[in-house]
Amino acid sequence: RDLKGVIVTLSDDGHLQCSYLGTDPSLFQAPKVDSREINYEEINAEMKELQRIIREATKTQDILPESEKQRDLTVTAEVSPDLDEESQAIDSEVKAGAVPSVTVKITIQSRVTAQKPSLVVCVQAPLAVTCDQFVFDDLEPDSSETVVLSVFLKENCSPPELEGTCMVSYNIATELNPEGIPRVSQCSFSLPLKLVCFPAQPSKAANHKLTIDTNKPPISFVTIFPDFVDPSEGDQANALGFQFITGSKATLLASKTSQRYRIQSDQLEDLWLVTKELIYRLEEHFKKQNCKDFACTFSGSIPLQEYFELIDRHFELRLNAEKYQELLSERAVQFRAIERRLLTRFKEKTPAPLQHLDTLLEGTFREVIALADAAEENQASVFQAFAKLKSATHLVIMLISLWQKLSTDQVAVLEATFLPLAEDTQELGWEETVDAAVSYLLRTCLSKSSKEQALTLSSHLSMPKDTSRLKKNITLFCDRLAKGGRLSLSTDLATQQAAVMPGGCATIPESDLEERTAIPGSTAIFVTHGETTKQKSKP
């Protein structure tokens, strides 16, 4: 266009520009419009119509239907009261001769047309199911589907929980979304204790013992444990033995003169399932008797030292896994370096001696295989240690809740604090996660002063060097609960400070030296004293 002085530039990223100085008239000319008067009534009518269309399009009740009192699709699970006559256990690693299984019948009922329904059944390892996924054709209104599966113990360790969950995912079509919007329905089921243990002779001696107090006379085991007691023994059965199929034993004793029950075993983690089952069956028994004031309490000592041993064992295996990973990485680098050297030798036109590179390659290969086998074996040990740790953690949570008579909300905070992970990994482990949660509670609802509240917590979770800090925080956590602390996730720290900690609290030992001085050589650390004062929180 006869422009002079054009500056052509090429940028680093490949943009070519032709620029010039001065101004240039615009080549765009606006088209002529018809000069007519604006009809405001028509514009208002059009605006109202557009707004109506927008409102109809943004209504949520059609795109995402509101939840109804009666669900569109329900799923129920029914656990058989008896074990399977012929065990359905598949590839079980339990060393026992026969591994029992129990049948679970799952029924899906739909009130509407459910598109692409699929069922997933989840049980926590070491438990397993014969089939955990089912896919169905579209369900018509008022139709149902039923599946039957079996649950059994697969790994060679006792499960921390005897529960399972069923989840059904499906789509429901709407006028604006014919493809269907996703919905989920779920239910949970409980598995019987006899799935993992069977009756045995009671043991008189045991390393670990717990005593549960009640406010009602002891009930005969024939009444509350009919599936574990021989009816011929009558009301004389005040001792009951449980033999776990993994090999360990637990014994349950009922006092003849007092309202107490004792649970004992050689392993701390084996106390959990029996204690939980005892309390559950006692509550169900008195509920049937229309007794509303039944309560269980625990006045003994929280077995923290034994609990810490399980923590140390689990953490030691995690450290071993880290070492195996580093050694494997080093040997793999060495293996690849030898391979490159050998490849270079083989490509040479004139053959040269290998100088024992082939022997070194074979030796490195054997080391890699041996390290991989050891790492795999250590991983199995980590899994078993984590299962034991979870069982012991459940037990400690129950004992603390009975000891301090915690409410349901406070127990939920306890469980969220000490059981944050369903699975344990090297990247995010139990120790660092629980330490962060306990530290948060110690600096909020269980804090002693505003100075503690002002401390900032690290936002980065990493594997600690040892467990000393974690054990110290757990000890401090229990100590402050014993001095009247209350668990709460409220953000109003000033209210918590006034309501949680009593004004006359003694100084809590912060150093290991003070703790050892306060409790010399004692494994029974925390005892509920009658003179412990508690201050109720103000509404």
Side-chain angles (χ1 to χ4, degrees):
R1 297 177 183 270
D2 298 328
L3 290 175
K4 296 180 180 180
V6 175
I7 302 172
V8 182
T9 57
L10 179 64
S11 66
D12 293 339
D13 53 357
H15 286 86
L16 183 66
Q17 291 181 333
C18 297
S19 310
Y20 58 92
L21 304 177
T23 59
D24 188 46
S26 175
L27 301 178
F28 172 77
Q29 292 182 353
K32 293 181 179 180
V33 295
D34 297 334
S35 57
R36 58 186 179 89
E37 294 183 0
I38 300 176
N39 190 335
Y40 290 101
E41 292 182 358
E42 290 182 1
I43 291 179
N44 285 334
E46 184 180 1
M47 176 65 74
K48 290 180 180 179
E49 178 64 19
L50 292 175
Q51 289 176 344
R52 185 189 66 81
I53 294 174
I54 293 174
R55 283 196 303 269
E56 289 293 331
T58 55
K59 281 185 177 178
T60 58
Q61 60 265 27
D62 190 39
I63 300 175
L64 296 174
E66 295 179 357
S67 58
E68 302 175 359
K69 293 182 179 179
Q70 187 176 4
R71 297 186 64 88
D72 296 329
L73 186 143
T74 57
V75 55
T76 56
E78 179 184 354
V79 180
S80 173
D82 301 316
L83 298 177
D84 298 337
E85 293 183 1
E86 183 178 350
S87 177
Q88 303 296 316
I90 305 172
D91 299 331
S92 177
E93 299 177 4
V94 180
K95 299 177 182 178
V99 178
S101 63
V102 66
T103 299
V104 181
K105 180 181 178 182
I106 302 172
T107 304
I108 303 172
Q109 293 180 328
S110 178
R111 295 175 51 248
V112 297
T113 301
Q115 301 175 353
K116 303 176 183 177
S118 62
L119 169 67
V120 177
V121 183
C122 303
V123 292
Q124 285 196 19
L127 296 173
V129 294
T130 51
C131 185
D132 60 352
Q133 293 186 3
F134 302 86
V135 179
F136 308 99
D137 296 330
D138 293 354
L139 292 177
E140 299 297 328
D142 299 323
S143 61
S144 63
E145 287 281 353
T146 301
V147 297
V148 177
L149 52 91
S150 294
V151 184
F152 60 95
L153 186 64
K154 187 171 183 178
E155 308 287 343
N156 192 30
C157 60
S158 297
E161 295 179 3
L162 286 173
E163 295 178 352
T165 305
C166 306
M167 291 179 288
V168 179
S169 59
Y170 58 98
N171 294 340
I172 293 183
T174 64
E175 183 179 350
L176 296 178
N177 196 343
E179 292 294 327
I181 52 101
R183 301 291 295 272
V184 174
S185 182
Q186 63 180 356
C187 74
S188 59
F189 56 89
S190 298
L191 299 167
L193 180 62
K194 56 186 176 181
L195 180 64
V196 295
C197 65
F198 53 87
Q201 287 294 326
S203 300
K204 294 183 179 179
N207 295 332
H208 305 278
K209 300 178 182 180
L210 293 176
T211 301
I212 303 297
D213 299 323
T214 65
N215 58 353
K216 299 293 179 183
I219 306 299
S220 171
F221 288 152
V222 178
T223 304
I224 58 176
F225 282 98
D227 48 344
F228 284 90
V229 178
D230 187 357
S232 61
E233 296 186 19
D235 294 339
Q236 302 300 319
N238 65 335
L240 192 57
F242 299 87
Q243 174 74 55
F244 291 92
I245 62 176
T246 54
S248 54
K249 276 187 176 182
T251 301
L252 179 60
L253 303 170
S255 174
K256 295 180 179 179
T257 57
S258 61
Q259 303 169 353
R260 293 181 174 182
Y261 299 88
R262 170 174 287 181
I263 308 97
Q264 58 189 33
S265 176
D266 288 335
Q267 307 295 332
L268 177 67
E269 64 273 9
D270 293 331
L271 298 174
W272 157 240
L273 288 178
V274 178
T275 306
K276 177 187 178 184
E277 191 74 12
L278 170 67
I279 294 177
Y280 171 75
R281 296 198 182 197
L282 285 174
E283 290 175 347
E284 290 296 313
H285 172 77
F286 286 105
K287 190 182 296 183
K288 292 178 182 177
Q289 304 291 331
N290 292 325
C291 179
K292 299 181 179 179
D293 61 342
F294 172 75
C296 295
T297 56
F298 177 72
S299 57
S301 305
I302 306 296
L304 285 187
Q305 295 303 322
E306 296 86 345
Y307 182 52
F308 291 161
E309 291 176 5
L310 290 174
I311 294 177
D312 289 336
R313 173 59 179 163
H314 175 255
F315 187 73
E316 178 188 357
L317 292 171
R318 286 187 64 198
L319 290 178
N320 291 342
E322 203 171 53
K323 293 177 183 177
Y324 283 128
Q325 190 172 355
E326 293 176 359
L327 288 174
L328 265 175
S329 178
E330 292 176 2
R331 294 298 181 270
V333 170
Q334 177 178 318
F335 187 79
R336 289 192 295 270
I338 299 171
E339 278 186 321
R340 284 193 296 270
R341 291 284 185 91
L342 277 174
L343 189 61
T344 304
R345 293 289 178 91
F346 290 148
K347 284 183 177 180
E348 292 178 356
K349 293 182 179 180
T350 57
L354 297 179
Q355 296 179 343
H356 301 289
L357 281 176
D358 53 342
T359 306
L360 188 58
L361 181 71
E362 184 179 352
T364 306
F365 174 74
R366 289 178 178 175
E367 286 186 4
V368 169
I369 295 300
L371 283 172
D373 291 340
E376 193 174 28
E377 183 179 348
N378 185 78
Q379 188 60 35
S381 300
V382 170
F383 172 80
Q384 293 190 7
F386 186 57
K388 294 179 180 180
L389 180 58
K390 285 178 67 176
S391 296
T393 303
H394 277 292
L395 179 66
V396 169
I397 290 173
M398 173 179 282
L399 295 180
I400 291 177
S401 64
L402 296 177
W403 169 46
Q404 289 295 311
K405 300 180 178 63
L406 301 182
S407 63
T408 305
D409 292 339
Q410 291 175 311
V411 173
V413 174
L414 260 184
E415 291 177 346
T417 302
F418 286 93
L419 293 170
L421 302 175
E423 296 182 2
D424 188 48
T425 62
Q426 283 295 108
E427 292 77 17
L428 184 63
W430 183 88
E431 285 80 6
E432 55 264 33
T433 312
V434 171
D435 186 36
V438 174
S439 298
Y440 174 79
L441 292 179
L442 290 176
R443 284 160 175 75
T444 53
C445 60
L446 296 180
S447 61
K448 290 196 304 178
S449 63
S450 58
K451 184 183 296 185
E452 286 188 354
Q453 296 174 10
L455 295 175
T456 57
L457 299 174
S458 173
S459 59
H460 178 66
L461 293 182
S462 59
M463 187 172 175
K465 295 181 180 180
D466 53 46
T467 58
S468 58
R469 171 188 165 89
L470 171 63
K471 292 187 288 188
K472 180 179 178 180
N473 282 341
I474 293 177
T475 304
L476 198 59
F477 175 85
C478 294
D479 201 358
R480 291 190 178 176
L481 280 180
K483 287 180 167 61
R486 293 178 63 85
L487 297 175
S488 171
L489 294 182
S490 171
T491 56
D492 188 358
L493 297 179
T495 305
Q496 291 176 14
Q497 185 67 21
V500 169
M501 299 303 295
C505 278
T507 304
I508 299 175
E510 298 288 350
S511 67
D512 295 337
L513 179 62
E514 289 176 346
E515 289 175 1
R516 288 196 296 268
T517 305
I519 314 168
S522 174
T523 58
I525 298 181
F526 303 108
V527 182
T528 306
H529 297 287
E531 64 270 18
T532 302
T533 60
K534 294 185 179 180
Q535 182 173 342
K536 296 183 179 179
S537 59
K538 299 179 181 180

